[in-house]
Amino acid sequence: CRAILAVGRKGAVGEVYNIGAGEEHPNIEIARRIVELTGADPALLTRVSDRPGHDRRYALDTRKIRQLGWKPAIGFEEGLARTIRWYRRNEDWWRPVKEGAFRKYYARMYRDRIRSARGGKERK
């Protein structure tokens, strides 16, 4: 929110400002860290077949927003831990989303990839 406020106050109209911590982490590293922080079974990580344009990491050039005087107040590791705590404390918010229309969308969009990653077997 502080970043959006900085752009609103100091940014140039029509410009794009990437908001990020300036840290790079491979997607698999983030997934493994989430599993670790949640105490989940690492077997839940399922590799899916690659696709054109498949992102292995996300990296943003944050120079323009930093020129406005903004910098992240929370590092990636702390932010990830806080996010997990929020989801644990607010299950009543996300549980209906997960079990409702999104579940049907996810199944429709990813069923074939998940099935092929499991050797044609579907998990119940």
Side-chain angles (χ1 to χ4, degrees), residues 59-124:
L60 296 173
D61 180 351
T62 60
R63 285 180 286 191
K64 284 186 358 186
I65 192 154
R66 287 174 186 269
Q67 289 171 348
L68 300 180
W70 178 86
K71 65 180 180 179
I74 298 168
F76 178 81
E77 184 69 27
E78 182 183 347
L80 186 60
R82 284 185 183 193
T83 300
I84 289 168
R85 273 195 307 274
W86 186 92
Y87 275 93
R88 282 189 166 145
R89 292 176 182 161
N90 293 280
E91 187 172 346
D92 58 324
W93 177 85
W94 62 263
R95 179 66 64 188
V97 173
K98 184 178 177 188
E99 293 174 349
F102 179 77
R103 185 177 180 95
K104 291 174 188 158
Y105 167 82
Y106 187 86
R108 187 176 73 247
M109 296 303 292
Y110 297 101
R111 180 178 291 126
D112 292 339
R113 282 190 222 158
I114 292 169
R115 190 179 297 140
S116 69
R118 293 187 183 133
K121 298 174 186 167
E122 203 167 322
R123 190 185 308 178
K124 303 272 180 196

